[in-house]
Amino acid sequence: MSGKESSREVVVRQTQQKITQEVCAIFRGIVRESVEQRKTCSLALAGGTTPRKLYQALARGCAVDDTPWSDVEVFFGDERDVPQDHVESNYGMVQRTLLDHLPIQPARVHPMPADADDLDAAAAGYEQRIREVVEAGKDGIPRFDLILLGMGAEGYTASIFPFTDAAAEEQKLVMACFVPVLGRKRMTFAFPLINAARHIILLVTGSDKAGAVARILGDDQEARKSLPAARIAPTDGRLIIALDYPAARAAGLKPDGGSQ
Ligand code: 6PG
């Protein structure tokens, strides 16, 4: 027995607001549990519109909740090739919508240097920073307490796009890559780092994502093969796939439990 236990659960709520509220509670619970057990919580956050709504909800609640935010270390699962103050920066968006509202020391926030001249060297430097801050598991890979991911309609996650070097990478933990469909470079966590996490939340909402959701949850291995989000599979952790009904409908899933 490897002593490893992995689980996957799919949570569906009627609306984006309701699944965002549900994920807020799960997110806060993971931070609290991590700090109680290990005196810290290492987070890797995502960009995009869906994660943004979660950050806004977390920020709204932080004044009244007892989440130990001051013990959190914040990293970024991917970043665009723009300066931190650029409107497209994931760091900038997370800083404005969440971090500016939380009691987190700036030294515990680690922006991803995706606008560096030498992106490969910058990716290696970011990986080294992660190794300095995030404790490794038995396999020597840093084990984040929580990685939050979104998903594009084409099934990409973080900045791992279909048929790119990042989708095929099985050794590197952080990598720079050119994304042909965007015509731009990105920096991103690779699957070995993502799948080493204790908790992964994949938050997907909206009917435009329904096709990709049906494929990643379906049994058609061929259909799954080209979708990076189908490769999220924690080696010794918990995967929570959080969906609103419009995103879940094509997969034949209905809103479950909780406050509908
Ligand atoms: C990014 C994100 C990306 C995002 C998904 C979902 O840099 O854009 O990290 O992976 O999470 O594309 O984005 P939306 O919620 O905006 O569809």
Side-chain angles (χ1 to χ4, degrees), residues 73 75 107-111 122-134 142:
E73 295 280 352
F75 289 84
R108 290 181 167 223
V109 178
H110 312 277
Y126 198 68
E127 179 173 323
Q128 184 50 37
R129 186 75 187 121
I130 289 171
R131 288 184 180 280
E132 290 164 2
V133 174
V134 182

Side-chain angles (χ1 to χ4, degrees), residues 45 79 107 123 135 138 152 154 177 180 187 195 250:
L45 300 179
E79 186 56 274
E135 188 181 358
K138 295 186 179 68
E154 304 75 17
C177 51
M187 191 178 291
N195 287 330

Side-chain angles (χ1 to χ4, degrees), residues 64-81:
V64 294
D65 77 68
D66 58 353
T67 307
W69 294 110
S70 55
D71 296 314
V72 165
E73 295 280 352
V74 180
F75 289 84
F76 295 79
D78 70 322
E79 186 56 274
R80 291 88 177 272
D81 60 345

Side-chain angles (χ1 to χ4, degrees), residues 46-51 78 80 90 149-152 156-159 186 209:
T49 313
T50 310
D78 70 322
R80 291 88 177 272
N90 287 340
L149 297 171
M151 186 187 76
Y156 70 87
T157 190
S159 282
R186 290 283 185 99
K209 313 282 178 77

